[in-house]
Amino acid sequence: MGKVVILDHPLIKHKLTFIRDKNTGSKEFRELVKEVSMLMAYEVTRDLPLEDINIETPVAETKSQVIAGKKLGLVPILRAGLGMVDGMLNLLPAAKVGHVGLYRDPETFKPVEYYCKLPQDIEERELIVLDPMLATGGSAVAAIQFLKNKGATNIKLMNLIAASEGLEEVSKAHPDVDIYVAGVDERLNEDAYIIPGLGDAGDRLFGTK
Ligand code: URA
């Protein structure tokens, strides 16, 4: 079974409060999502392998460690996942970015794929799937399956807020995928929105609605 890591650092909790607040406008919302994504990147990349290299400081030669050329890929689920990309790229500038477009059918709540553009070598990359909200888990399960069908073998999922139902669905469908979340909320409402959640992440990021 994959692990579920809840990143409850005080800075993340603090920023998440203002992300949730309905009075936070799009500009601040985007900045906060970017900041929380950066803070989460710190933990999501904790197991990246390191290697020793030789360097010279101004006063001595020494061995020091750098990330061992691990190839990373970020895969935002369109459109709300886009809000998490910049924060991640700030810390992982060499990562390639693939996009998967899925929308939720408003009646069945099932994910429908409408766009996909991925790095060619995804089978060699550690992929981090980005979506602020893990509600029913349908989109995440479908996106991860989609990446596996294209050859990906090493996948992590990163969400800001998850409902327990979504965590269970992803863990059941993809037990090899570790999930990193900033908060876990009580439940879903009849429209499959997370309660208390933050509303529609895409609308809040892009000022639509
Ligand atoms: N997607 C959102 O943007 N918000 C939710 O609460 C659930 C899914």
Side-chain angles (χ1 to χ4, degrees):
M1 195 54 104
K3 60 182 176 183
V4 175
V5 183
I6 301 169
L7 302 176
D8 57 357
H9 189 284
L11 280 175
I12 293 180
K13 284 187 147 175
H14 176 89
K15 289 176 190 295
L16 199 54
T17 297
F18 294 98
I19 286 176
R20 289 180 184 280
D21 189 333
K22 70 174 187 184
N23 295 315
T24 300
S26 285
K27 177 176 184 286
E28 201 187 342
F29 187 90
R30 276 195 295 274
E31 286 165 2
L32 287 163
V33 169
K34 178 175 171 179
E35 287 168 6
V36 170
S37 302
M38 278 175 72
L39 293 167
M40 291 181 76
Y42 180 80
E43 197 57 40
V44 176
T45 53
R46 179 172 287 285
D47 58 2
L48 286 182
L50 294 166
E51 65 186 359
D52 286 342
I53 60 166
N54 296 315
I55 58 160
E56 278 180 50
T57 75
V59 288
E61 287 188 4
T62 187
K63 269 197 202 325
S64 197
Q65 292 187 309
V66 292
I67 291 168
K70 185 86 187 172
K71 288 179 158 189
L72 292 173
L74 306 175
V75 185
I77 300 179
L78 302 178
R79 78 192 148 132
L82 290 176
M84 299 169 79
V85 173
D86 280 356
M88 296 293 284
L89 281 177
N90 273 357
L91 290 186
L92 307 165
K96 293 257 190 328
V97 184
H99 296 86
V100 174
L102 297 169
Y103 69 87
R104 263 197 318 181
D105 184 298
E107 264 147 41
T108 63
F109 303 139
K110 292 252 182 296
V112 183
E113 183 212 321
Y114 66 89
Y115 184 78
C116 172
K117 183 83 182 174
L118 298 169
Q120 272 181 349
D121 54 355
I122 59 160
E123 63 287 348
E124 292 169 29
R125 292 186 179 266
E126 173 171 330
L127 300 180
I128 306 172
V129 175
L130 306 173
D131 196 353
M133 308 303 275
L134 181 63
T136 61
S139 301
V141 167
I144 292 166
Q145 190 56 54
F146 190 68
L147 295 173
K148 286 183 174 175
N149 293 348
K150 302 251 172 195
T153 55
N154 188 348
I155 303 174
K156 289 177 173 164
L157 173 65
M158 182 171 146
N159 310 106
L160 298 189
I161 300 177
S164 323
E165 191 174 327
L167 291 172
E168 276 165 33
E169 281 304 305
V170 174
S171 302
K172 209 165 57 185
H174 300 293
D176 54 314
V177 172
D178 293 340
I179 310 171
Y180 295 78
V181 296
V184 179
D185 279 9
E186 287 159 29
R187 64 185 177 89
L188 301 176
N189 71 9
E190 58 283 2
D191 297 320
Y193 276 88
I194 298 177
I195 303 296
L198 52 72
D200 187 297
D203 282 343
R204 296 203 57 197
L205 278 166
F206 300 113
T208 44
K209 198 168 165 77

